[in-house]
Amino acid sequence: MPAPVGNRPLILRYALLAIGWLSVVLGVIGIFIPVLPTTPFLLLAAACFARSSPRFYRWLVGHPRLGPWIADYLSGNGIPLKGKIYAVGLMWASILLSCYLVPLPWARAFMLTSAVLVTVYILRQKTLHKP
């Protein structure tokens, strides 16, 4: 469990809340737009809320429509294969586009290294096989 919310600086709590709500909005949009992944955004929102607002964290995890998108991951059951494919595929598409647009070699190296590490992390997570 993260450190108590009261120990965090106020500016950090507000930043985490803003990122959390932006992630919720993007996750909801992702429900309706197939190329925008829902689960990673809702997981990010849950992580931000867990560190900034226990009330919003409980709201998100217990939400009847949004909670099920993240419940399996949070309970340790894993990530659905479709979620892994979307997350890794869209991440690589955006990283490769960014590498094409950004001419700085050090920035390209940083983006590619980040993409490899995140890909390894996602692929090492349990795969949830839904019936």
Side-chain angles (χ1 to χ4, degrees), residues 17-43:
L17 278 172
I19 294 168
W21 281 111
L22 176 63
S23 297
V24 168
V25 169
L26 291 173
V28 169
I29 292 170
I31 294 171
F32 303 103
I33 299 176
V35 296
L36 194 63
T38 299
T39 306
F41 285 119
L42 293 179
L43 286 172

Side-chain angles (χ1 to χ4, degrees), residues 1-122:
M1 193 68 186
V5 173
N7 292 345
R8 301 199 188 280
L10 193 58
I11 189 75
L12 178 60
R13 288 183 57 207
Y14 284 141
L16 289 169
L17 278 172
I19 294 168
W21 281 111
L22 176 63
S23 297
V24 168
V25 169
L26 291 173
V28 169
I29 292 170
I31 294 171
F32 303 103
I33 299 176
V35 296
L36 194 63
T38 299
T39 306
F41 285 119
L42 293 179
L43 286 172
L44 177 60
C48 289
F49 289 159
R51 289 162 180 78
S52 63
S53 172
R55 179 174 64 125
F56 289 138
Y57 175 80
R58 284 190 304 274
W59 169 82
L60 179 61
V61 173
H63 193 278
R65 301 268 189 235
L66 302 177
W69 286 90
I70 57 175
D72 289 324
Y73 179 82
L74 293 176
S75 65
N77 294 330
I79 303 171
L81 182 60
K82 182 178 175 183
K84 284 185 173 187
I85 291 169
Y86 272 134
V88 171
L90 288 172
M91 177 187 62
W92 275 101
S94 65
I95 291 292
L96 292 175
L97 176 63
S98 297
C99 284
Y100 174 76
L101 296 174
V102 176
L104 304 170
W106 64 267
R108 288 179 176 170
F110 179 76
M111 289 186 282
L112 291 171
T113 301
S114 299
V116 167
L117 293 174
V118 171
T119 299
V120 168
Y121 175 78
I122 290 172

